[in-house]
């Protein structure tokens, strides 16, 4: 039973995240999609909203026999990973520019907890430029999001703005 943690902000979940999860399902029996609770950041979506969207969109992807679970965590990722009895941390690498930061995190996490491996996965080229940060920027400036995020995420983003 191989269990992995896929950590991130997921504010919001993008098609790039889903692509990584689908690929991770080929390697692991269970993946916990773990949303970082970060009190220092002002998010677009609350943790509850992010969890809810993830729960919904995970039903739409190719997961084979892999169990997918959504959770949130505070504090050190490796402490959370040990508490969940995970074997690995999955991170997506889109471009070389991601690599430096991801390598630092992976090595720090390994120093803190040598029993947990970090596995880097490459998304499909179509998503190599997609990030939650750019999705929010494009949305706020009135750009088209189809193909970048699941339809339900785009609808929730529009709903949030119309509530204001
Ligand atoms: O989606 P993101 O924002 O790139 O995810 C970053 C995340 C959540 C993986 C990273 O910030 C993290 O693991 N934070 C938890 C705190 C921690 O363990 N810090 C030490 C990492 S070396």
């Amino acid at each position: 039973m191989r269990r992995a943690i896929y950590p991130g902000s997921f504010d919001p979940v993008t098609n790039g995240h889903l692509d990584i999860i689908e690929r991770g399902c080929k390697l692991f029996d269970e993946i916990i999609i773990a949303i970082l609770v970060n009190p220092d950041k002002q998010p677009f979506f609350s943790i509850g909203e992010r969890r809810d969207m993830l729960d919904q969109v995970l039903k739409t992807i190719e997961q084979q026999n892999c169990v997918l679970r959504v959770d949130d965590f505070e504090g050190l990722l490796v402490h959370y990973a040990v508490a969940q009895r995970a074997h690995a941390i999955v991170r997506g690498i889109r471009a070389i520019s991601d690599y430096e930061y991801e390598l630092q995190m992976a090595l720090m996490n390994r120093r803190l907890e040598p029993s947990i491996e970090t596995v880097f996965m490459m998304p499909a080229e179509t998503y190599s430029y997609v990030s939650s940060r750019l999705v929010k920027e494009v949305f706020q400036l009135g750009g088209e999001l189809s193909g970048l995020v699941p339809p339900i995420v785009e609808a929730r983003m529009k709903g949030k703005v119309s509530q204001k």
Side-chain angles (χ1 to χ4, degrees), residues 58-74:
L58 290 178
K59 290 183 196 142
T60 67
I61 68 171
E62 190 56 63
Q63 61 184 75
Q64 300 170 56
N65 290 326
C66 179
V67 174
L68 297 175
R69 201 145 57 81
V70 180
D71 196 10
D72 55 69
F73 75 103
E74 284 177 73

mmCIF file of all heavy atoms in Angstrom, residues 58-74:
data_model
loop_
_atom_site.group_PDB
_atom_site.id
_atom_site.type_symbol
_atom_site.label_atom_id
_atom_site.label_comp_id
_atom_site.label_asym_id
_atom_site.label_seq_id
_atom_site.Cartn_x
_atom_site.Cartn_y
_atom_site.Cartn_z
ATOM 1 N N LEU A 58 -12.385 15.836 -8.411
ATOM 2 C CA LEU A 58 -11.664 14.548 -8.379
ATOM 3 C C LEU A 58 -12.537 13.413 -8.896
ATOM 4 O O LEU A 58 -12.043 12.410 -9.395
ATOM 5 C CB LEU A 58 -11.162 14.237 -6.962
ATOM 6 C CG LEU A 58 -10.011 15.135 -6.473
ATOM 7 C CD1 LEU A 58 -9.630 14.767 -5.049
ATOM 8 C CD2 LEU A 58 -8.797 15.044 -7.387
ATOM 9 N N LYS A 59 -13.861 13.611 -8.770
ATOM 10 C CA LYS A 59 -14.787 12.576 -9.257
ATOM 11 C C LYS A 59 -14.726 12.470 -10.775
ATOM 12 O O LYS A 59 -15.184 11.492 -11.359
ATOM 13 C CB LYS A 59 -16.225 12.921 -8.845
ATOM 14 C CG LYS A 59 -16.470 12.778 -7.364
ATOM 15 C CD LYS A 59 -17.933 13.059 -7.059
ATOM 16 C CE LYS A 59 -18.112 13.308 -5.563
ATOM 17 N NZ LYS A 59 -19.088 14.348 -5.277
ATOM 18 N N THR A 60 -14.217 13.521 -11.434
ATOM 19 C CA THR A 60 -14.265 13.565 -12.906
ATOM 20 C C THR A 60 -12.991 13.033 -13.557
ATOM 21 O O THR A 60 -12.920 12.956 -14.774
ATOM 22 C CB THR A 60 -14.465 15.022 -13.400
ATOM 23 O OG1 THR A 60 -13.276 15.776 -13.072
ATOM 24 C CG2 THR A 60 -15.665 15.684 -12.759
ATOM 25 N N ILE A 61 -11.970 12.682 -12.772
ATOM 26 C CA ILE A 61 -10.700 12.301 -13.410
ATOM 27 C C ILE A 61 -10.495 10.785 -13.422
ATOM 28 O O ILE A 61 -11.182 10.042 -12.707
ATOM 29 C CB ILE A 61 -9.476 13.002 -12.751
ATOM 30 C CG1 ILE A 61 -9.226 12.494 -11.328
ATOM 31 C CG2 ILE A 61 -9.626 14.508 -12.801
ATOM 32 C CD1 ILE A 61 -7.917 12.990 -10.738
ATOM 33 N N GLU A 62 -9.526 10.389 -14.224
ATOM 34 C CA GLU A 62 -9.170 8.973 -14.376
ATOM 35 C C GLU A 62 -8.296 8.574 -13.184
ATOM 36 O O GLU A 62 -7.129 8.970 -13.114
ATOM 37 C CB GLU A 62 -8.368 8.860 -15.684
ATOM 38 C CG GLU A 62 -8.113 7.455 -16.150
ATOM 39 C CD GLU A 62 -9.378 6.631 -16.318
ATOM 40 O OE1 GLU A 62 -10.217 6.991 -17.164
ATOM 41 O OE2 GLU A 62 -9.496 5.646 -15.580
ATOM 42 N N GLN A 63 -8.895 7.838 -12.210
ATOM 43 C CA GLN A 63 -8.090 7.533 -11.016
ATOM 44 C C GLN A 63 -7.747 6.051 -10.874
ATOM 45 O O GLN A 63 -7.105 5.648 -9.900
ATOM 46 C CB GLN A 63 -8.752 8.075 -9.747
ATOM 47 C CG GLN A 63 -10.116 7.498 -9.455
ATOM 48 C CD GLN A 63 -10.739 8.171 -8.248
ATOM 49 O OE1 GLN A 63 -11.192 9.299 -8.331
ATOM 50 N NE2 GLN A 63 -10.751 7.481 -7.113
ATOM 51 N N GLN A 64 -8.177 5.255 -11.843
ATOM 52 C CA GLN A 64 -7.913 3.809 -11.803
ATOM 53 C C GLN A 64 -8.300 3.251 -10.437
ATOM 54 O O GLN A 64 -9.373 3.550 -9.949
ATOM 55 C CB GLN A 64 -6.466 3.553 -12.188
ATOM 56 C CG GLN A 64 -6.188 4.072 -13.609
ATOM 57 C CD GLN A 64 -4.739 4.079 -13.986
ATOM 58 O OE1 GLN A 64 -4.085 3.060 -13.918
ATOM 59 N NE2 GLN A 64 -4.253 5.218 -14.417
ATOM 60 N N ASN A 65 -7.386 2.509 -9.777
ATOM 61 C CA ASN A 65 -7.761 1.958 -8.468
ATOM 62 C C ASN A 65 -7.236 2.798 -7.315
ATOM 63 O O ASN A 65 -7.249 2.362 -6.165
ATOM 64 C CB ASN A 65 -7.226 0.530 -8.322
ATOM 65 C CG ASN A 65 -7.965 -0.413 -9.240
ATOM 66 O OD1 ASN A 65 -9.160 -0.240 -9.473
ATOM 67 N ND2 ASN A 65 -7.254 -1.380 -9.792
ATOM 68 N N CYS A 66 -6.766 3.973 -7.626
ATOM 69 C CA CYS A 66 -6.140 4.820 -6.609
ATOM 70 C C CYS A 66 -7.226 5.513 -5.768
ATOM 71 O O CYS A 66 -8.209 6.025 -6.298
ATOM 72 C CB CYS A 66 -5.288 5.850 -7.336
ATOM 73 S SG CYS A 66 -4.459 7.009 -6.289
ATOM 74 N N VAL A 67 -7.025 5.525 -4.460
ATOM 75 C CA VAL A 67 -7.960 6.217 -3.566
ATOM 76 C C VAL A 67 -7.492 7.668 -3.441
ATOM 77 O O VAL A 67 -6.322 7.923 -3.166
ATOM 78 C CB VAL A 67 -7.982 5.536 -2.175
ATOM 79 C CG1 VAL A 67 -8.834 6.332 -1.192
ATOM 80 C CG2 VAL A 67 -8.456 4.107 -2.291
ATOM 81 N N LEU A 68 -8.409 8.595 -3.663
ATOM 82 C CA LEU A 68 -8.065 10.016 -3.550
ATOM 83 C C LEU A 68 -8.821 10.612 -2.369
ATOM 84 O O LEU A 68 -10.019 10.387 -2.210
ATOM 85 C CB LEU A 68 -8.443 10.753 -4.843
ATOM 86 C CG LEU A 68 -7.704 10.308 -6.108
ATOM 87 C CD1 LEU A 68 -8.255 11.027 -7.331
ATOM 88 C CD2 LEU A 68 -6.199 10.551 -5.978
ATOM 89 N N ARG A 69 -8.082 11.354 -1.542
ATOM 90 C CA ARG A 69 -8.687 11.938 -0.338
ATOM 91 C C ARG A 69 -8.255 13.404 -0.265
ATOM 92 O O ARG A 69 -7.114 13.726 -0.605
ATOM 93 C CB ARG A 69 -8.146 11.179 0.869
ATOM 94 C CG ARG A 69 -8.936 11.263 2.110
ATOM 95 C CD ARG A 69 -8.889 9.959 2.904
ATOM 96 N NE ARG A 69 -7.565 9.479 3.284
ATOM 97 C CZ ARG A 69 -6.865 9.924 4.334
ATOM 98 N NH1 ARG A 69 -7.326 10.909 5.072
ATOM 99 N NH2 ARG A 69 -5.706 9.385 4.650
ATOM 100 N N VAL A 70 -9.158 14.279 0.148
ATOM 101 C CA VAL A 70 -8.815 15.697 0.289
ATOM 102 C C VAL A 70 -8.735 16.028 1.768
ATOM 103 O O VAL A 70 -9.572 15.599 2.560
ATOM 104 C CB VAL A 70 -9.886 16.594 -0.396
ATOM 105 C CG1 VAL A 70 -9.522 18.065 -0.243
ATOM 106 C CG2 VAL A 70 -10.026 16.229 -1.869
ATOM 107 N N ASP A 71 -7.703 16.778 2.144
ATOM 108 C CA ASP A 71 -7.517 17.142 3.551
ATOM 109 C C ASP A 71 -6.855 18.515 3.590
ATOM 110 O O ASP A 71 -6.456 19.059 2.562
ATOM 111 C CB ASP A 71 -6.622 16.075 4.223
ATOM 112 C CG ASP A 71 -6.678 16.129 5.742
ATOM 113 O OD1 ASP A 71 -7.536 16.840 6.297
ATOM 114 O OD2 ASP A 71 -5.839 15.465 6.386
ATOM 115 N N ASP A 72 -6.735 19.090 4.793
ATOM 116 C CA ASP A 72 -5.911 20.296 4.931
ATOM 117 C C ASP A 72 -4.984 20.113 6.106
ATOM 118 O O ASP A 72 -5.203 19.235 6.950
ATOM 119 C CB ASP A 72 -6.779 21.560 5.057
ATOM 120 C CG ASP A 72 -7.777 21.490 6.171
ATOM 121 O OD1 ASP A 72 -7.359 21.509 7.339
ATOM 122 O OD2 ASP A 72 -8.998 21.381 5.890
ATOM 123 N N PHE A 73 -3.912 20.901 6.115
ATOM 124 C CA PHE A 73 -2.920 20.750 7.179
ATOM 125 C C PHE A 73 -2.282 22.093 7.499
ATOM 126 O O PHE A 73 -2.281 23.010 6.678
ATOM 127 C CB PHE A 73 -1.834 19.724 6.787
ATOM 128 C CG PHE A 73 -0.827 20.237 5.775
ATOM 129 C CD1 PHE A 73 0.452 20.621 6.162
ATOM 130 C CD2 PHE A 73 -1.164 20.352 4.431
ATOM 131 C CE1 PHE A 73 1.379 21.089 5.240
ATOM 132 C CE2 PHE A 73 -0.254 20.829 3.499
ATOM 133 C CZ PHE A 73 1.018 21.196 3.900
ATOM 134 N N GLU A 74 -1.750 22.157 8.746
ATOM 135 C CA GLU A 74 -1.004 23.340 9.185
ATOM 136 C C GLU A 74 0.366 22.872 9.615
ATOM 137 O O GLU A 74 0.539 21.720 9.996
ATOM 138 C CB GLU A 74 -1.695 23.965 10.405
ATOM 139 C CG GLU A 74 -2.949 24.736 10.069
ATOM 140 C CD GLU A 74 -3.621 25.265 11.324
ATOM 141 O OE1 GLU A 74 -3.084 26.224 11.909
ATOM 142 O OE2 GLU A 74 -4.652 24.696 11.714
#
